[in-house]
Structure formats: structure tokens, C-alpha cells
Amino acid sequence: MHKLTKATMALNGLGRYFIAEKNLSVIKLVTRGLVAAEPGEDSGSNEVYDVIISGGGMVGSAMACSLGMDPNLFGKKILLLEAGNKKVMDKVPETYSTRVSSISPGSATLLSSVGAWEQITKMRCKPYKKMQVWDACSDALITFDKENLQDEMAYIVENDIVVAALTEQLDSLPDNVQVKYRSRVVEYTWPMPHQAANSIPWVQVRLASGETVQTKLLIGADGPNSMVRRALGIPTVKWNYDQSAVVAVLHLSEPTENIVAWQRFLPTGPIAMLPLSDTESSLVWSTSHQLAEELLEMDEESFVDAINSAFWSNENQSELIETAGSLFRGALSAIMPSAGSPRQLPPSVAGIGPKSRVMFPLGMGHASEYTRHRVALIGDAAHRVHPLAGQGVNLGFGDVACLTQLLSQAAFNGKDLGAIQHLLEYETERQRHNLPMMSAIDLMKRLYSTNAAPVVLLRTFGLQATNMLPSLKEQIMAFASK
């Protein structure tokens, strides 16, 4: 519990710039070197852009599309830098990718606003209308669903399809929005916070090709090991979970409507089965490094048996916990007879996709600052979370929507896009959303990483009580859907 308290306090301590926009003090601006530089002469022949986005993954590509399509930013010179090759998908692959994301309704709205969602639905995505979460150490469970299963809770989409759809939209934008693929950044040069003689007023970006470009605003979307964040020296609170995630494509025993996302908390970590089609699902199994290695080395039959056992076995349950949970559930039912939801059984797994087993380490990280002079961080460059809540990319898309709106307003008012005032507004607004979400995810991970009886009883009662309160569940879903 000491670790839990320490970790939560460290995470909550990061919001040191939670300040209302009307109360931004000169002192806070200066402490970051945030006095905006006056526009100066272009140094040499280096091209100057209004915005450069470093990193062309899902979040970076969405940022470029969102800025390029905003009417108030029409004509602004925008450059997206991507170190990898251009991702073009002439036709959808027959096999599913192991890297998928749970796209919330809020993220789907953003993708729709830039014209990518229609393309994604034409290619391949699977909505789910219900989620069941339950504990392997007790019979406690909670279900989330929209009223009468009429609306989708979220959508499972392969990451490659999201990037391909966004790439297609980038190709359709006017010439003021450019993309440079295979463009690796080797150095950033930051402008002085105060305009000095012979100093550059903009951020300089030097590429491996030898080319140098400048920008009035640099947006770092370059992932959890962000070069932008490290070059700025922005402090980051981070820790590893001593866990790895094993992902794979699962073949179900028989066709099913497959509109439920399943997640079970094991003592070694959560295991989730997310729908891909009527016959296939995606596995995300977070567990110890040792067990993850063993799962990768198993033959297919043993691996499938391990998955089915993880979802169905009751070996971690005790009679004491079961009795206490049953009594508590009975008392709740007497108070609220119509509340709660029935338990469903997950589908059984018959096989896995060829060469689809992959593992990667899990951790958590949060940048203490999202902004500096003429720089903003978005997506995993600013925050990294455990996949148990499926919120990673959704937090990034939320960053995109927020920053676009503030930059659009700044452009409408004729302000400098790199001015710190509206960048701090972005930081404040996003930290107010991201930090509570990250704290909750970290707490859940730690709360379910033990099979100690007092903790199991505590979470059993909490899960059962929450499941009996529809209004509370609706609030949780609304917050996660943003």
C-alpha cells in the first residue's frame, strides 16, 4: 500500500500548472522561459513553417489532418515529419494485425471530422456494445453497456488501418500541408526566450538528410521515448510495471455476434479479449515477464488451453471470499432488486493466427509539462498508460482535439501560434482530464495485482456495489468516451 500511495501522490503531483487561464501570472510564464519571441528574419535559406509535427503515427497524423482542415488555419504552412515509410493500404489484408486500439466515440468523432472515419469503416472495424469485467479471485463482476445495446461503446480498429486512412486524408489536403516521409530528426535548436541579437526566433529542426527547417510551433508526437521531450529536458515521472503484454489474434470455436469486450483480472495481470469479427478476437494478456516468455514459447495447443483456462478457471477463488461476496450481493439485491446485470460466459478459443504472438513491456509515464516556448507535446510523448482500460490512443486524440481548437482560436484572433498563453491553456485542460484517468488506471492495476484476502474482499465489494449503480456506471462510461 506504501507503493500505491507513493505512486499516486507522484502522479497527482504533476499537475503543477493547473491554473485558470485568467490567472496566468507573469512569474509562471518567465519560469519556463516563456516570454514569446518577436518574429525575426528567416536565417539563411531555411524554410519556415507555421507548425511542424514530429511523428507520423496515429496521433501525429490526426494532428496534421485536424490542423490542415481547420478553416481558421487555412493557408498556414504545416509540415508532418515521419521517420518511417509512407503507409499505403491498397486493399485490406486478409489477416488481422496484432496491434489494435479501442477507439472511443469521442475519438471516432475526431476521426470523422477529418474525413478518416468513413474510410476506416469501409476498410475494417468492429464495434462492441458491451463490456464485462470480472475478478479471477472472486465471483464479482461489472458490466458496461449502452441502453438496450442500441449504441456502440467503442470500436476495435487495427492501428495500421487508422494510419492508412489518415494518410489518405493527408494526400487530399492542399499544398500548404506537407508530409516528409523517411525524415529522421537528428537535432532540435530552441529559440531564446528573449529576443537577442543574431538569435533565431523559431525552433530549428535538422534532419538526417542535412536539411534544416524552422517552425513557429513544434508539436512533439514522437511516442513514449520522445526526442522532443528529452531534448527539452522536460522531467518525466515514469515506472515499469514488471509486466509484459502478450498480444495475438484468436480464432473462436464457433461464430458469434461478438459484440462484447471481455476482461478478467488475474493475480498476475488482466487478460482481455476484444472482438475483431464474428469469428476472430484480439488478445491482450498483461502478465509477468516470465509467464509472458513462457506463453510465447508454448505450442499453439498449449497456448490456446492457457487462454481458455485464464478466462474460465476458478482456481484462484476461495470459499471465504465467495461466501462474503455472495452475502454482500444478496444484501445489495434486497436494497436494489432491479439493479445489476447477469453474468455472461466468454466465447472459447480454438486457435490463433499464424505468427501473431508478440510481447512488449508495460509501463507508465507522464511529462510534468506538456508545453514549452513554441513547443507542445501530444499523445504518448506526454503520457503513457497501462492498456487495461484501452485509453492510450484516446487520450492522444483528445490532445489533438483540444490543441486544434485552441490554435484555431488563436489564429482567428490573429495571435502567434507559438505563444505560450494558449499553449498553457492546452496543458491545463488536458492535464485536468489525463491525470485523473491515469491515476484511476494505475490504481486499478495495483489493486488487482494481489490475491491477499483483505484486498480481494475490498475490490469485490467495490465492484459489486458499482455494478448495482447504473448512474455511476454511466458517469464512468461518459468520462472514458471523451
Side-chain angles (χ1 to χ4, degrees):
M1 291 302 290
H2 173 69
K3 286 185 179 179
L4 173 60
T5 304
K6 184 178 178 182
T8 307
M9 287 177 64
L11 185 61
N12 288 332
L14 295 176
R16 59 192 179 93
Y17 290 106
F18 275 20
I19 40 181
E21 57 179 293
K22 293 183 180 179
N23 296 321
L24 290 174
S25 67
V26 174
I27 294 174
K28 281 189 169 66
L29 295 178
V30 174
T31 56
R32 283 203 201 175
L34 297 177
V35 178
E38 293 295 323
E41 295 296 322
D42 183 2
S43 65
S45 59
N46 296 336
E47 193 165 5
V48 178
Y49 291 87
D50 292 289
V51 181
I52 289 181
I53 301 152
S54 182
M58 291 187 287
V59 173
S61 296
M63 188 82 246
C65 284
S66 186
L67 294 178
M69 292 184 175
D70 190 279
N72 291 332
L73 296 166
F74 180 77
K76 297 289 186 184
K77 293 180 64 177
I78 298 165
L79 174 64
L80 175 64
L81 297 173
E82 167 54 34
N85 296 317
K86 185 176 182 179
K87 291 182 173 63
V88 178
M89 194 174 287
D90 296 325
K91 66 175 184 176
V92 179
E94 291 184 8
T95 58
Y96 284 89
S97 168
T98 54
R99 301 307 296 264
V100 301
S101 294
S102 178
I103 304 296
S104 70
S107 296
T109 299
L110 171 73
L111 293 168
S112 180
S113 72
V114 299
W117 188 247
E118 183 180 356
Q119 183 65 16
I120 289 171
T121 55
K122 285 180 181 177
M123 296 169 80
R124 189 161 63 196
C125 78
K126 177 67 175 177
Y128 62 89
K129 299 183 177 182
K130 184 175 183 178
M131 184 174 188
Q132 179 172 296
V133 181
W134 72 109
D135 193 344
C137 295
S138 73
D139 60 357
L141 85 155
I142 188 170
T143 60
F144 297 96
D145 56 56
K146 298 291 186 177
E147 188 176 359
N148 299 320
L149 300 180
Q150 293 300 309
D151 298 319
E152 288 77 16
M153 278 191 66
Y155 309 81
I156 303 300
V157 189
E158 295 152 273
N159 294 357
D160 289 344
I161 284 180
V162 176
V163 174
L166 288 166
T167 299
E168 187 170 314
Q169 292 307 116
L170 285 169
D171 288 343
S172 69
L173 293 178
D175 291 341
N176 63 295
V177 181
Q178 300 176 29
V179 185
K180 291 181 183 289
Y181 296 102
R182 302 178 68 179
S183 297
R184 185 172 60 86
V185 177
V186 295
E187 184 182 22
Y188 295 104
T189 304
W190 313 112
M192 296 293 291
H194 302 275
Q195 187 64 39
N198 300 320
S199 68
I200 58 167
W202 318 126
V203 178
Q204 279 193 348
V205 184
R206 186 161 64 87
L207 306 177
S209 64
E211 180 184 4
T212 300
V213 290
Q214 299 184 68
T215 182
K216 299 173 185 177
L217 173 63
L218 174 68
I219 299 176
D222 49 347
N225 298 315
S226 170
M227 180 181 175
V228 175
R229 186 188 67 231
R230 287 185 286 114
L232 280 167
I234 292 177
T236 304
V237 172
K238 60 182 178 180
W239 52 81
N240 293 320
Y241 282 127
D242 293 325
Q243 284 186 335
S244 289
V246 175
V247 295
V249 176
L250 308 178
H251 300 309
L252 305 181
S253 297
E254 56 185 10
T256 173
E257 192 178 8
N258 210 10
I259 58 169
V260 181
W262 310 90
Q263 181 165 261
R264 191 182 197 196
F265 282 97
L266 307 171
T268 53
I271 181 171
M273 184 164 23
L274 310 171
L276 292 173
S277 70
D278 291 348
T279 58
E280 293 177 284
S281 289
S282 177
L283 172 75
V284 184
W285 190 343
S286 303
T287 188
S288 66
H289 298 308
Q290 181 181 348
L291 181 53
E293 293 280 2
E294 293 173 5
L295 290 170
L296 284 186
E297 293 171 2
M298 288 180 184
D299 59 71
E300 181 175 336
E301 184 177 352
S302 299
F303 184 62
V304 168
D305 287 344
I307 295 169
N308 286 324
S309 176
F311 277 109
W312 291 74
S313 173
N314 293 326
E315 65 180 4
N316 292 300
Q317 296 184 9
S318 72
E319 187 174 344
L320 170 65
I321 301 295
E322 188 176 346
T323 302
S326 179
L327 289 171
F328 186 71
R329 189 170 57 253
L332 288 174
S333 298
I335 300 170
M336 298 171 284
S338 61
S341 48
R343 178 186 300 271
Q344 285 185 260
L345 299 176
S348 61
V349 178
I352 62 172
K355 299 180 180 179
S356 71
R357 268 183 283 181
V358 180
M359 67 174 278
F360 54 89
L362 299 177
M364 186 265 182
H366 188 268
S368 62
E369 304 164 35
Y370 289 7
T371 60
R372 282 282 179 90
H373 181 48
R374 299 201 174 280
V375 185
L377 300 176
I378 61 173
D380 285 354
H383 40 72
R384 177 190 179 199
V385 296
H386 194 286
L388 68 88
Q391 287 299 309
V393 75
N394 294 314
L395 294 180
F397 286 144
D399 295 345
V400 170
C402 176
L403 187 54
T404 298
Q405 190 235 336
L406 289 169
L407 292 177
S408 175
Q409 189 63 43
F412 180 78
N413 293 332
K415 294 181 179 178
D416 177 3
L417 295 185
I420 194 61
Q421 284 81 3
H422 47 262
L423 294 183
L424 277 178
E425 286 183 52
Y426 156 73
E427 178 183 272
T428 300
E429 185 172 332
R430 289 312 295 163
Q431 284 195 343
R432 281 177 176 161
H433 179 272
N434 294 343
L435 281 167
M437 177 68 76
M438 295 177 72
S439 298
I441 292 171
D442 187 66
L443 176 64
M444 286 282 287
K445 187 271 167 193
R446 295 174 186 277
L447 191 61
Y448 280 91
S449 293
T450 178
N451 56 2
V455 180
V456 174
L457 274 173
L458 175 66
R459 69 194 191 208
T460 296
F461 296 158
L463 206 61
Q464 290 179 341
T466 305
N467 195 43
M468 302 291 278
L469 298 170
S471 59
L472 178 57
K473 292 199 291 183
E474 286 174 9
Q475 289 179 18
I476 295 171
M477 284 191 291
F479 187 73
S481 296
K482 291 181 180 177

